[in-house]
Amino acid sequence: MNDIESQREDNIKRNQEQLRQLGIYLTPSAGSHHVAKKSPPKKRKLQHPLAPSRSSARIASNPMRQPYVSEDQDQDQNPSRSRQQRSRPIAKKMKAPSNKRELVATAPAKDIESLRTGWTAWEPTASPPSRDQESTFHFEDQPSFTPNKSPEEMLREGCFGGSYFRPLYSRRLGTTIIDDYRELPSSWYSGLEVSKFLTSPTYDAEINKYKVSSGQSIEEWEAAGWINHTYDVRGWFQWYCRFYMGRRCEDDERQISRWRKCVGDMGRWRRTLLKKYVSMGIKEVFDDGEDEEGRDVSPVMHQTCHHWAYEVRQADLERFWKVGK
């Protein structure tokens, strides 16, 4: 054995000793030396797989996912349903009132009889509104309040399922309110079947202009705190009737603020409805009730706006197409 081979053997022995100290052993084989590798540790199987931190659009659109619907949003859940299906009279379903409150009306610290007297003892202090060429009303003392449907038009066209002035039991007051529609000018409901259009004990969607159910009941409004019993025990529409007739009260600002948020120039229901026209590519306003073959643009949203004394006008739609508001 020459010096080179001897040195090589010494190096091999030295390396083997170092590997042994590290816990690595060589398995000899013919003509070669292989390093014995440690067997990899067994992986534990997760009993409860973790949800992925990211998801694709395909996964997000999986029909098993529950859609989110705003608790206070009134939507047409099935816009493709036929007019015949929408026209069936139905009883209004009660919904659980939302925990979100707009402005909570203060409970009146008066006895019931004095309250009843106050509801009808007022005298008109404001002039009747004017109306422009676009059919918008203008109240001199409240320029930001610009509805385009009068209370009489709403009643005659059909609103609140014909049940707005039905006998109403107020849980807050512990009394029943009845026949208060008689304070309205008789000309507003002359020729109408009162028991069908004003005082029906059940909500009938067939009465509504757009033949659909829309909105919550007065009982739900009361539970949510939207009723100021000192002035209008039935809520918004009763307030509007009296405001239109010239009454002014401390609750005006609150009710007008609610109207602006719903169907004012930047109101969410108004904008939502106009967006539906744009998304469907429709540039002309048509009356759903007159065109049986035409495409419906969210009858539920139309009826909701109608309940707030607003109806889409051609000028509104053209403006929205142009500037988006």
Side-chain angles (χ1 to χ4, degrees), residues 273-318:
L273 182 54
L274 290 170
K275 285 179 181 178
K276 287 182 180 290
Y277 273 91
V278 173
S279 67
M280 294 175 68
I282 298 175
K283 294 188 176 183
E284 293 185 5
V285 175
F286 56 87
D287 191 326
D288 292 38
E290 295 178 357
D291 185 4
E292 293 292 336
E293 301 300 324
R295 290 184 294 171
D296 291 346
V297 181
S298 185
V300 169
M301 193 61 66
H302 267 294
Q303 190 66 48
T304 298
C305 290
H306 188 269
H307 285 167
W308 286 92
Y310 171 75
E311 195 168 66
V312 175
R313 304 298 190 197
Q314 185 63 37
D316 297 336
L317 183 57
E318 290 176 358

Side-chain angles (χ1 to χ4, degrees), residues 135-151:
S135 298
T136 300
F137 289 103
H138 298 276
F139 297 86
E140 186 176 354
D141 57 334
Q142 290 288 354
S144 66
F145 182 51
T146 54
N148 59 22
K149 304 298 290 187
S150 70

Side-chain angles (χ1 to χ4, degrees), residues 28-270:
S29 62
S32 64
H33 297 278
H34 296 281
V35 177
K37 298 182 180 179
K38 286 185 176 181
S39 59
K42 293 183 178 180
K43 294 183 179 180
R44 290 188 303 168
K45 185 177 181 181
L46 293 177
Q47 298 299 322
H48 303 285
L50 298 176
S53 59
R54 299 174 61 188
S55 60
S56 66
R58 175 182 58 80
I59 296 175
S61 62
N62 191 307
M64 294 301 292
R65 292 172 63 92
Q66 294 298 320
Y68 172 79
V69 179
S70 176
E71 63 183 356
D72 57 355
Q73 189 166 5
D74 198 350
Q75 297 181 357
D76 187 351
Q77 299 295 334
N78 187 5
S80 63
R81 60 186 172 178
S82 68
R83 183 172 300 279
Q84 183 178 4
Q85 289 175 310
R86 292 199 308 271
S87 300
R88 292 180 301 173
I90 61 173
K92 183 65 177 174
K93 293 182 179 180
M94 296 291 289
K95 301 178 183 177
S98 166
N99 290 328
K100 293 173 64 178
R101 296 189 177 185
E102 216 171 276
L103 285 174
V104 179
T106 304
K110 299 180 180 179
D111 62 86
I112 301 302
E113 289 307 314
S114 63
L115 270 178
R116 287 182 179 275
T117 300
W119 292 338
T120 57
W122 58 270
E123 295 290 338
T125 59
S127 303
S130 60
R131 200 171 197 179
D132 62 24
Q133 294 181 347
E134 295 181 2
S135 298
T136 300
F137 289 103
H138 298 276
F139 297 86
E140 186 176 354
D141 57 334
Q142 290 288 354
S144 66
F145 182 51
T146 54
N148 59 22
K149 304 298 290 187
S150 70
E152 179 182 358
E153 289 170 340
M154 293 172 65
L155 290 172
R156 291 189 177 279
E157 292 171 356
C159 60
F160 303 105
S163 64
Y164 191 83
F165 287 101
R166 71 188 184 281
L168 172 68
Y169 177 74
S170 169
R171 296 185 63 182
R172 185 77 171 273
L173 302 179
T175 189
T176 299
I177 295 88
I178 189 171
D179 287 343
D180 46 342
Y181 76 90
R182 295 184 183 278
E183 73 176 73
L184 304 178
S186 59
S187 60
W188 286 10
Y189 53 86
S190 175
L192 287 180
E193 188 176 345
V194 171
S195 62
K196 187 175 181 180
F197 281 81
L198 277 76
T199 63
S200 173
T202 58
Y203 188 106
D204 185 357
E206 179 67 17
I207 293 297
N208 287 340
K209 177 174 182 178
Y210 295 94
K211 312 302 181 188
V212 292
S213 175
S214 173
Q216 296 177 313
S217 68
I218 299 176
E219 290 84 354
E220 289 171 296
W221 300 341
E222 183 178 57
W226 298 336
I227 303 293
N228 189 327
H229 297 80
T230 301
Y231 299 105
D232 307 294
V233 70
R234 293 183 184 270
W236 145 257
F237 181 63
Q238 189 172 52
W239 170 87
Y240 179 42
C241 290
R242 291 166 173 168
F243 185 88
Y244 189 93
M245 291 189 289
R247 186 197 70 174
R248 295 296 182 266
C249 70
E250 294 180 358
D251 201 33
D252 292 347
E253 293 298 331
R254 182 180 74 96
Q255 295 288 17
I256 291 174
S257 174
R258 296 180 67 210
W259 178 88
R260 286 201 302 265
K261 292 175 183 177
C262 291
V263 294
D265 288 343
M266 299 299 292
R268 62 175 178 170
W269 299 135
R270 173 173 173 166

